[in-house]
Amino acid sequence: MKKVLVLDFGGQYNLLVARRVRECGVYCEIKPYTMSMDDIRAFDPAAIIFTGGPATVFEPNAPALDNAIFELGLPILGICYGQQLMIHQLGGACRRAEVREYGKVELTHDGTSLLFDGVEPTSICWMSHGVEVEKLSPGFRAIAHTAGCAYAAIENAERKLYGVQFHPEVLHTVHGTEILKNFLYKVCGLSPEWSMANYVSEAIGEVRAKVGSGKVLLALSGGVDSAVAAALLYRAVGEQLTCIFVDHGLLRKDEGDQVEQAMHDCLGMRIVRVNAQERFLTKLAGISEPERKRKIIGEEFIRVFEAEAKKLGRVDFLAQGTIYPDVVESGVGGESVVIKSHHNVGGLPDHVDFKEIIEPLRRLFKDEVRQLGIELGLPESLVWRQPFPGPGLAIRVIGEITEEKLHIVREADAIFREEVAKAGLERSINQYFAALTNLRSVGVMGDERTYDYAIALRAVETQDFMTADFSRLPWELLDTVSRRIVNEVKGVNRILYDVTSKPPATVELE
Ligand code: XMP
């Protein structure tokens, strides 16, 4: 399979560049711009993309490349800093722009370049730069401009070298995907052959080659990534895989059963389910500080997992559902491994005897992981699950946790989810749940005074969960949910809807 090399200069949209290329059906990987020429040759790319970055080409110590890269004869697309660097290194010049362009800007191309083939003459693009090309390198010409930038896109068609000052990977660039497709298909002659349907057999082959006849152990969390990793591993090595599912009693209504059933019914796979509810509740008794709860749950998870894993004796591989965005560091990309706490809840087990870690999803983006899950036969309900935090309902009961409170929040949450699904809003809200506030207030039911808990409903829309906006849910939906919870869940007499965004609030209440 042909692949594109994305050389990372540290720009904020770099992961998006790789995602868009893959969405065009072309496999690519992000590597740091410091990759050696030998490694680049060994990677054997069909084309190279230079990303944007925060540096300024003409300043000392600015990231630069070996000029040999331009002699490989490969098509290259430079984006923002990438364009400036190409020009700078090939005998042209850049300067600080008189007007810093930022945001949506009208772009006009001259209709003569393959890069803009089929693209409207004038359209909106996304700009974010304070430096611009001043003088082109020999053999280059301008192919598009904006009011403030004469070299918004450039080419040396003969050498297949292209540059854009704007960001085609950002969705605000209306024809960004078409421009990338033009580069990949028309300039580079690549075709869209990267899809999860095609990838399955390759991924299975890779796992088999690595695992051989070894034993693999995986901790299932009930989340999408570990479930898809399990499905892939099971398809590849069958009973050599053991999945341990620690049910800490902090899952949503019927969730533990659903995970077990999906793995069994859809894949024919048996999992080891450890019902450790009591153990966790005992450890959490009397604890109300959120971070303390998280720590206890993380540690306890590892202890339970270890105890179960010990029964298997030595395993050869410990599998994890790490995905590509976790692997590529923010900033100047590369292959540094960041194991996020929520992938294994509380870090790696100290007392499990294994040879190596295996991460079969480490090259995939989240949407690719979901497609792969579907290809492997997992149900949509599991594959399209909304994010659910490792510590589960423990951080959705504010303050001290009791069995009664867990029951209340679980039932309220189930009603909320059921009604959101009925309203057809499941996929348009990124995360939604009920939380039990530790607040009790006065109410009246029938002729009686009540003094019960208030439930907070939370629903957010977000791209990356770093910032989020609260969802403008229809009043009718909130009305139905509110009535149902108060009527059906004993111990609740008030429903609040959280209308804060993040920041200043967070998504979870704890
Ligand atoms: P916050 O509350 O930080 O949530 O705005 C952002 C996203 O992270 C999830 N979250 C967690 N996930 N362990 C996890 O695995 C945690 O301790 C944790 N806290 C928050 C949250 O559900 C949301 O998707």
Side-chain angles (χ1 to χ4, degrees), residues 38-71:
D38 284 346
D39 288 345
I40 292 176
R41 286 191 194 93
F43 184 84
D44 191 24
I48 303 177
I49 296 180
F50 302 160
T51 73
T56 304
V57 275
F58 42 75
E59 283 186 349
N61 302 323
L65 294 165
D66 186 332
N67 261 7
I69 199 163
F70 300 106
E71 305 305 324

PDB file of all heavy atoms in Angstrom, residues 38-71:
ATOM      1  N   ASP A  38      17.837   8.857   5.808  1.00  0.00           N
ATOM      2  CA  ASP A  38      17.833   7.384   5.700  1.00  0.00           C
ATOM      3  C   ASP A  38      16.472   6.834   6.123  1.00  0.00           C
ATOM      4  O   ASP A  38      15.919   5.938   5.481  1.00  0.00           O
ATOM      5  CB  ASP A  38      18.921   6.773   6.591  1.00  0.00           C
ATOM      6  CG  ASP A  38      20.300   6.946   5.944  1.00  0.00           C
ATOM      7  OD1 ASP A  38      20.328   7.277   4.738  1.00  0.00           O
ATOM      8  OD2 ASP A  38      21.310   6.764   6.651  1.00  0.00           O
ATOM      9  N   ASP A  39      15.959   7.366   7.228  1.00  0.00           N
ATOM     10  CA  ASP A  39      14.659   6.884   7.697  1.00  0.00           C
ATOM     11  C   ASP A  39      13.541   7.249   6.707  1.00  0.00           C
ATOM     12  O   ASP A  39      12.596   6.491   6.516  1.00  0.00           O
ATOM     13  CB  ASP A  39      14.333   7.463   9.087  1.00  0.00           C
ATOM     14  CG  ASP A  39      15.211   6.832  10.170  1.00  0.00           C
ATOM     15  OD1 ASP A  39      15.828   5.783   9.877  1.00  0.00           O
ATOM     16  OD2 ASP A  39      15.284   7.389  11.283  1.00  0.00           O
ATOM     17  N   ILE A  40      13.679   8.432   6.110  1.00  0.00           N
ATOM     18  CA  ILE A  40      12.661   8.828   5.123  1.00  0.00           C
ATOM     19  C   ILE A  40      12.692   7.860   3.933  1.00  0.00           C
ATOM     20  O   ILE A  40      11.662   7.371   3.496  1.00  0.00           O
ATOM     21  CB  ILE A  40      12.883  10.288   4.652  1.00  0.00           C
ATOM     22  CG1 ILE A  40      12.600  11.240   5.827  1.00  0.00           C
ATOM     23  CG2 ILE A  40      11.992  10.625   3.459  1.00  0.00           C
ATOM     24  CD1 ILE A  40      12.877  12.708   5.542  1.00  0.00           C
ATOM     25  N   ARG A  41      13.898   7.558   3.482  1.00  0.00           N
ATOM     26  CA  ARG A  41      14.001   6.613   2.349  1.00  0.00           C
ATOM     27  C   ARG A  41      13.447   5.249   2.733  1.00  0.00           C
ATOM     28  O   ARG A  41      12.740   4.611   1.973  1.00  0.00           O
ATOM     29  CB  ARG A  41      15.451   6.483   1.880  1.00  0.00           C
ATOM     30  CG  ARG A  41      15.910   7.699   1.120  1.00  0.00           C
ATOM     31  CD  ARG A  41      17.261   7.470   0.428  1.00  0.00           C
ATOM     32  NE  ARG A  41      17.800   8.757   0.014  1.00  0.00           N
ATOM     33  CZ  ARG A  41      18.644   9.501   0.741  1.00  0.00           C
ATOM     34  NH1 ARG A  41      19.097   9.044   1.898  1.00  0.00           N
ATOM     35  NH2 ARG A  41      19.053  10.663   0.294  1.00  0.00           N
ATOM     36  N   ALA A  42      13.744   4.833   3.955  1.00  0.00           N
ATOM     37  CA  ALA A  42      13.274   3.512   4.404  1.00  0.00           C
ATOM     38  C   ALA A  42      11.741   3.491   4.538  1.00  0.00           C
ATOM     39  O   ALA A  42      11.100   2.485   4.283  1.00  0.00           O
ATOM     40  CB  ALA A  42      13.911   3.163   5.747  1.00  0.00           C
ATOM     41  N   PHE A  43      11.177   4.624   4.909  1.00  0.00           N
ATOM     42  CA  PHE A  43       9.715   4.710   5.032  1.00  0.00           C
ATOM     43  C   PHE A  43       9.062   4.549   3.654  1.00  0.00           C
ATOM     44  O   PHE A  43       7.944   4.097   3.520  1.00  0.00           O
ATOM     45  CB  PHE A  43       9.350   6.072   5.651  1.00  0.00           C
ATOM     46  CG  PHE A  43       7.892   6.271   5.936  1.00  0.00           C
ATOM     47  CD1 PHE A  43       7.323   5.810   7.114  1.00  0.00           C
ATOM     48  CD2 PHE A  43       7.067   6.937   5.025  1.00  0.00           C
ATOM     49  CE1 PHE A  43       5.971   6.006   7.381  1.00  0.00           C
ATOM     50  CE2 PHE A  43       5.720   7.131   5.280  1.00  0.00           C
ATOM     51  CZ  PHE A  43       5.168   6.661   6.464  1.00  0.00           C
ATOM     52  N   ASP A  44       9.795   4.966   2.631  1.00  0.00           N
ATOM     53  CA  ASP A  44       9.378   4.810   1.248  1.00  0.00           C
ATOM     54  C   ASP A  44       8.028   5.472   0.943  1.00  0.00           C
ATOM     55  O   ASP A  44       7.095   4.815   0.460  1.00  0.00           O
ATOM     56  CB  ASP A  44       9.297   3.292   0.924  1.00  0.00           C
ATOM     57  CG  ASP A  44       9.140   3.058  -0.569  1.00  0.00           C
ATOM     58  OD1 ASP A  44       9.528   3.943  -1.353  1.00  0.00           O
ATOM     59  OD2 ASP A  44       8.590   1.998  -0.932  1.00  0.00           O
ATOM     60  N   PRO A  45       7.926   6.786   1.191  1.00  0.00           N
ATOM     61  CA  PRO A  45       6.648   7.447   0.933  1.00  0.00           C
ATOM     62  C   PRO A  45       6.399   7.662  -0.553  1.00  0.00           C
ATOM     63  O   PRO A  45       7.354   7.720  -1.338  1.00  0.00           O
ATOM     64  CB  PRO A  45       6.815   8.797   1.639  1.00  0.00           C
ATOM     65  CG  PRO A  45       8.286   9.067   1.608  1.00  0.00           C
ATOM     66  CD  PRO A  45       8.956   7.722   1.682  1.00  0.00           C
ATOM     67  N   ALA A  46       5.115   7.790  -0.915  1.00  0.00           N
ATOM     68  CA  ALA A  46       4.780   8.107  -2.300  1.00  0.00           C
ATOM     69  C   ALA A  46       4.717   9.623  -2.469  1.00  0.00           C
ATOM     70  O   ALA A  46       4.755  10.131  -3.591  1.00  0.00           O
ATOM     71  CB  ALA A  46       3.434   7.492  -2.654  1.00  0.00           C
ATOM     72  N   ALA A  47       4.582  10.332  -1.347  1.00  0.00           N
ATOM     73  CA  ALA A  47       4.544  11.793  -1.373  1.00  0.00           C
ATOM     74  C   ALA A  47       4.810  12.279   0.041  1.00  0.00           C
ATOM     75  O   ALA A  47       4.710  11.505   0.993  1.00  0.00           O
ATOM     76  CB  ALA A  47       3.184  12.284  -1.847  1.00  0.00           C
ATOM     77  N   ILE A  48       5.135  13.561   0.141  1.00  0.00           N
ATOM     78  CA  ILE A  48       5.432  14.134   1.463  1.00  0.00           C
ATOM     79  C   ILE A  48       4.612  15.411   1.651  1.00  0.00           C
ATOM     80  O   ILE A  48       4.402  16.173   0.694  1.00  0.00           O
ATOM     81  CB  ILE A  48       6.941  14.458   1.596  1.00  0.00           C
ATOM     82  CG1 ILE A  48       7.782  13.190   1.338  1.00  0.00           C
ATOM     83  CG2 ILE A  48       7.269  15.016   2.979  1.00  0.00           C
ATOM     84  CD1 ILE A  48       9.290  13.404   1.370  1.00  0.00           C
ATOM     85  N   ILE A  49       4.134  15.598   2.863  1.00  0.00           N
ATOM     86  CA  ILE A  49       3.461  16.861   3.211  1.00  0.00           C
ATOM     87  C   ILE A  49       4.233  17.487   4.359  1.00  0.00           C
ATOM     88  O   ILE A  49       4.561  16.809   5.333  1.00  0.00           O
ATOM     89  CB  ILE A  49       1.990  16.619   3.613  1.00  0.00           C
ATOM     90  CG1 ILE A  49       1.203  16.061   2.418  1.00  0.00           C
ATOM     91  CG2 ILE A  49       1.347  17.921   4.120  1.00  0.00           C
ATOM     92  CD1 ILE A  49      -0.264  15.774   2.696  1.00  0.00           C
ATOM     93  N   PHE A  50       4.540  18.785   4.230  1.00  0.00           N
ATOM     94  CA  PHE A  50       5.145  19.514   5.346  1.00  0.00           C
ATOM     95  C   PHE A  50       4.005  20.264   6.027  1.00  0.00           C
ATOM     96  O   PHE A  50       3.280  21.003   5.381  1.00  0.00           O
ATOM     97  CB  PHE A  50       6.153  20.578   4.878  1.00  0.00           C
ATOM     98  CG  PHE A  50       7.302  20.065   4.034  1.00  0.00           C
ATOM     99  CD1 PHE A  50       8.012  20.960   3.233  1.00  0.00           C
ATOM    100  CD2 PHE A  50       7.691  18.738   4.048  1.00  0.00           C
ATOM    101  CE1 PHE A  50       9.084  20.529   2.460  1.00  0.00           C
ATOM    102  CE2 PHE A  50       8.762  18.293   3.279  1.00  0.00           C
ATOM    103  CZ  PHE A  50       9.450  19.193   2.476  1.00  0.00           C
ATOM    104  N   THR A  51       3.893  20.117   7.320  1.00  0.00           N
ATOM    105  CA  THR A  51       2.799  20.796   8.023  1.00  0.00           C
ATOM    106  C   THR A  51       3.177  22.239   8.358  1.00  0.00           C
ATOM    107  O   THR A  51       4.300  22.674   8.133  1.00  0.00           O
ATOM    108  CB  THR A  51       2.477  20.114   9.366  1.00  0.00           C
ATOM    109  OG1 THR A  51       3.529  20.425  10.291  1.00  0.00           O
ATOM    110  CG2 THR A  51       2.325  18.627   9.222  1.00  0.00           C
ATOM    111  N   GLY A  52       2.233  22.914   8.972  1.00  0.00           N
ATOM    112  CA  GLY A  52       2.501  24.241   9.504  1.00  0.00           C
ATOM    113  C   GLY A  52       3.275  24.130  10.805  1.00  0.00           C
ATOM    114  O   GLY A  52       3.527  23.030  11.305  1.00  0.00           O
ATOM    115  N   GLY A  53       3.658  25.268  11.358  1.00  0.00           N
ATOM    116  CA  GLY A  53       4.386  25.261  12.623  1.00  0.00           C
ATOM    117  C   GLY A  53       4.541  26.688  13.120  1.00  0.00           C
ATOM    118  O   GLY A  53       4.352  27.636  12.358  1.00  0.00           O
ATOM    119  N   PRO A  54       4.883  26.834  14.392  1.00  0.00           N
ATOM    120  CA  PRO A  54       4.926  28.168  14.991  1.00  0.00           C
ATOM    121  C   PRO A  54       6.202  28.964  14.681  1.00  0.00           C
ATOM    122  O   PRO A  54       6.261  30.148  14.969  1.00  0.00           O
ATOM    123  CB  PRO A  54       4.850  27.856  16.494  1.00  0.00           C
ATOM    124  CG  PRO A  54       5.442  26.495  16.627  1.00  0.00           C
ATOM    125  CD  PRO A  54       5.150  25.763  15.359  1.00  0.00           C
ATOM    126  N   ALA A  55       7.229  28.327  14.105  1.00  0.00           N
ATOM    127  CA  ALA A  55       8.515  29.009  13.945  1.00  0.00           C
ATOM    128  C   ALA A  55       8.489  29.981  12.753  1.00  0.00           C
ATOM    129  O   ALA A  55       7.534  30.043  11.988  1.00  0.00           O
ATOM    130  CB  ALA A  55       9.610  27.974  13.766  1.00  0.00           C
ATOM    131  N   THR A  56       9.565  30.727  12.622  1.00  0.00           N
ATOM    132  CA  THR A  56       9.724  31.692  11.529  1.00  0.00           C
ATOM    133  C   THR A  56      10.973  31.280  10.767  1.00  0.00           C
ATOM    134  O   THR A  56      12.050  31.189  11.362  1.00  0.00           O
ATOM    135  CB  THR A  56       9.909  33.110  12.131  1.00  0.00           C
ATOM    136  OG1 THR A  56       8.801  33.367  12.978  1.00  0.00           O
ATOM    137  CG2 THR A  56       9.986  34.162  11.066  1.00  0.00           C
ATOM    138  N   VAL A  57      10.836  31.033   9.470  1.00  0.00           N
ATOM    139  CA  VAL A  57      11.944  30.403   8.719  1.00  0.00           C
ATOM    140  C   VAL A  57      13.267  31.131   8.783  1.00  0.00           C
ATOM    141  O   VAL A  57      14.314  30.504   8.802  1.00  0.00           O
ATOM    142  CB  VAL A  57      11.613  30.175   7.217  1.00  0.00           C
ATOM    143  CG1 VAL A  57      10.887  28.891   7.011  1.00  0.00           C
ATOM    144  CG2 VAL A  57      10.925  31.346   6.604  1.00  0.00           C
ATOM    145  N   PHE A  58      13.199  32.493   8.812  1.00  0.00           N
ATOM    146  CA  PHE A  58      14.473  33.218   8.723  1.00  0.00           C
ATOM    147  C   PHE A  58      15.095  33.502  10.087  1.00  0.00           C
ATOM    148  O   PHE A  58      16.060  34.224  10.197  1.00  0.00           O
ATOM    149  CB  PHE A  58      14.327  34.508   7.894  1.00  0.00           C
ATOM    150  CG  PHE A  58      13.074  35.273   8.187  1.00  0.00           C
ATOM    151  CD1 PHE A  58      12.952  36.012   9.351  1.00  0.00           C
ATOM    152  CD2 PHE A  58      11.999  35.231   7.296  1.00  0.00           C
ATOM    153  CE1 PHE A  58      11.802  36.721   9.615  1.00  0.00           C
ATOM    154  CE2 PHE A  58      10.833  35.939   7.565  1.00  0.00           C
ATOM    155  CZ  PHE A  58      10.728  36.689   8.731  1.00  0.00           C
ATOM    156  N   GLU A  59      14.520  32.966  11.137  1.00  0.00           N
ATOM    157  CA  GLU A  59      15.133  33.165  12.458  1.00  0.00           C
ATOM    158  C   GLU A  59      16.114  32.041  12.765  1.00  0.00           C
ATOM    159  O   GLU A  59      15.981  30.942  12.249  1.00  0.00           O
ATOM    160  CB  GLU A  59      14.041  33.261  13.515  1.00  0.00           C
ATOM    161  CG  GLU A  59      13.405  34.640  13.429  1.00  0.00           C
ATOM    162  CD  GLU A  59      12.403  34.961  14.508  1.00  0.00           C
ATOM    163  OE1 GLU A  59      12.001  34.050  15.254  1.00  0.00           O
ATOM    164  OE2 GLU A  59      12.021  36.137  14.577  1.00  0.00           O
ATOM    165  N   PRO A  60      17.131  32.333  13.622  1.00  0.00           N
ATOM    166  CA  PRO A  60      18.115  31.285  13.922  1.00  0.00           C
ATOM    167  C   PRO A  60      17.442  30.075  14.564  1.00  0.00           C
ATOM    168  O   PRO A  60      16.449  30.238  15.274  1.00  0.00           O
ATOM    169  CB  PRO A  60      19.060  31.955  14.934  1.00  0.00           C
ATOM    170  CG  PRO A  60      18.624  33.371  15.074  1.00  0.00           C
ATOM    171  CD  PRO A  60      17.369  33.589  14.332  1.00  0.00           C
ATOM    172  N   ASN A  61      17.948  28.910  14.289  1.00  0.00           N
ATOM    173  CA  ASN A  61      17.446  27.648  14.851  1.00  0.00           C
ATOM    174  C   ASN A  61      16.036  27.268  14.417  1.00  0.00           C
ATOM    175  O   ASN A  61      15.394  26.442  15.060  1.00  0.00           O
ATOM    176  CB  ASN A  61      17.498  27.654  16.388  1.00  0.00           C
ATOM    177  CG  ASN A  61      18.898  27.902  16.874  1.00  0.00           C
ATOM    178  OD1 ASN A  61      19.853  27.419  16.263  1.00  0.00           O
ATOM    179  ND2 ASN A  61      19.018  28.672  17.945  1.00  0.00           N
ATOM    180  N   ALA A  62      15.532  27.910  13.366  1.00  0.00           N
ATOM    181  CA  ALA A  62      14.202  27.516  12.881  1.00  0.00           C
ATOM    182  C   ALA A  62      14.296  26.097  12.327  1.00  0.00           C
ATOM    183  O   ALA A  62      15.332  25.717  11.755  1.00  0.00           O
ATOM    184  CB  ALA A  62      13.743  28.476  11.800  1.00  0.00           C
ATOM    185  N   PRO A  63      13.275  25.288  12.488  1.00  0.00           N
ATOM    186  CA  PRO A  63      13.308  23.929  11.941  1.00  0.00           C
ATOM    187  C   PRO A  63      13.606  23.962  10.445  1.00  0.00           C
ATOM    188  O   PRO A  63      13.023  24.773   9.727  1.00  0.00           O
ATOM    189  CB  PRO A  63      11.886  23.412  12.174  1.00  0.00           C
ATOM    190  CG  PRO A  63      11.336  24.248  13.267  1.00  0.00           C
ATOM    191  CD  PRO A  63      12.009  25.578  13.166  1.00  0.00           C
ATOM    192  N   ALA A  64      14.522  23.118  10.027  1.00  0.00           N
ATOM    193  CA  ALA A  64      14.880  23.081   8.606  1.00  0.00           C
ATOM    194  C   ALA A  64      15.033  21.636   8.167  1.00  0.00           C
ATOM    195  O   ALA A  64      15.003  20.725   8.998  1.00  0.00           O
ATOM    196  CB  ALA A  64      16.173  23.844   8.396  1.00  0.00           C
ATOM    197  N   LEU A  65      15.178  21.435   6.858  1.00  0.00           N
ATOM    198  CA  LEU A  65      15.297  20.073   6.334  1.00  0.00           C
ATOM    199  C   LEU A  65      16.589  19.943   5.539  1.00  0.00           C
ATOM    200  O   LEU A  65      17.153  20.935   5.085  1.00  0.00           O
ATOM    201  CB  LEU A  65      14.112  19.777   5.410  1.00  0.00           C
ATOM    202  CG  LEU A  65      12.742  19.728   6.077  1.00  0.00           C
ATOM    203  CD1 LEU A  65      11.639  19.804   5.036  1.00  0.00           C
ATOM    204  CD2 LEU A  65      12.612  18.445   6.900  1.00  0.00           C
ATOM    205  N   ASP A  66      16.997  18.723   5.354  1.00  0.00           N
ATOM    206  CA  ASP A  66      18.117  18.426   4.461  1.00  0.00           C
ATOM    207  C   ASP A  66      17.614  18.671   3.033  1.00  0.00           C
ATOM    208  O   ASP A  66      16.567  18.135   2.640  1.00  0.00           O
ATOM    209  CB  ASP A  66      18.480  16.936   4.671  1.00  0.00           C
ATOM    210  CG  ASP A  66      19.725  16.558   3.899  1.00  0.00           C
ATOM    211  OD1 ASP A  66      19.986  17.197   2.860  1.00  0.00           O
ATOM    212  OD2 ASP A  66      20.407  15.612   4.343  1.00  0.00           O
ATOM    213  N   ASN A  67      18.340  19.481   2.257  1.00  0.00           N
ATOM    214  CA  ASN A  67      17.875  19.771   0.894  1.00  0.00           C
ATOM    215  C   ASN A  67      17.743  18.523   0.028  1.00  0.00           C
ATOM    216  O   ASN A  67      17.081  18.539  -1.005  1.00  0.00           O
ATOM    217  CB  ASN A  67      18.798  20.786   0.223  1.00  0.00           C
ATOM    218  CG  ASN A  67      18.200  22.192   0.297  1.00  0.00           C
ATOM    219  OD1 ASN A  67      17.171  22.385   0.955  1.00  0.00           O
ATOM    220  ND2 ASN A  67      18.811  23.156  -0.363  1.00  0.00           N
ATOM    221  N   ALA A  68      18.371  17.425   0.470  1.00  0.00           N
ATOM    222  CA  ALA A  68      18.272  16.162  -0.284  1.00  0.00           C
ATOM    223  C   ALA A  68      16.815  15.711  -0.410  1.00  0.00           C
ATOM    224  O   ALA A  68      16.464  14.959  -1.322  1.00  0.00           O
ATOM    225  CB  ALA A  68      19.102  15.084   0.411  1.00  0.00           C
ATOM    226  N   ILE A  69      15.975  16.188   0.479  1.00  0.00           N
ATOM    227  CA  ILE A  69      14.569  15.754   0.447  1.00  0.00           C
ATOM    228  C   ILE A  69      13.909  16.194  -0.868  1.00  0.00           C
ATOM    229  O   ILE A  69      13.034  15.528  -1.393  1.00  0.00           O
ATOM    230  CB  ILE A  69      13.783  16.272   1.683  1.00  0.00           C
ATOM    231  CG1 ILE A  69      12.505  15.458   1.872  1.00  0.00           C
ATOM    232  CG2 ILE A  69      13.452  17.749   1.593  1.00  0.00           C
ATOM    233  CD1 ILE A  69      11.884  15.600   3.256  1.00  0.00           C
ATOM    234  N   PHE A  70      14.387  17.340  -1.392  1.00  0.00           N
ATOM    235  CA  PHE A  70      13.806  17.847  -2.645  1.00  0.00           C
ATOM    236  C   PHE A  70      14.369  17.105  -3.861  1.00  0.00           C
ATOM    237  O   PHE A  70      13.902  17.283  -4.965  1.00  0.00           O
ATOM    238  CB  PHE A  70      14.056  19.357  -2.766  1.00  0.00           C
ATOM    239  CG  PHE A  70      13.445  20.150  -1.632  1.00  0.00           C
ATOM    240  CD1 PHE A  70      14.234  20.686  -0.621  1.00  0.00           C
ATOM    241  CD2 PHE A  70      12.066  20.327  -1.567  1.00  0.00           C
ATOM    242  CE1 PHE A  70      13.667  21.410   0.419  1.00  0.00           C
ATOM    243  CE2 PHE A  70      11.490  21.050  -0.521  1.00  0.00           C
ATOM    244  CZ  PHE A  70      12.288  21.579   0.476  1.00  0.00           C
ATOM    245  N   GLU A  71      15.400  16.306  -3.631  1.00  0.00           N
ATOM    246  CA  GLU A  71      16.002  15.557  -4.740  1.00  0.00           C
ATOM    247  C   GLU A  71      15.445  14.142  -4.846  1.00  0.00           C
ATOM    248  O   GLU A  71      15.857  13.365  -5.700  1.00  0.00           O
ATOM    249  CB  GLU A  71      17.540  15.481  -4.575  1.00  0.00           C
ATOM    250  CG  GLU A  71      18.236  16.832  -4.414  1.00  0.00           C
ATOM    251  CD  GLU A  71      17.907  17.796  -5.547  1.00  0.00           C
ATOM    252  OE1 GLU A  71      17.766  17.325  -6.695  1.00  0.00           O
ATOM    253  OE2 GLU A  71      17.756  19.007  -5.268  1.00  0.00           O
TER     254      GLU A  71
END
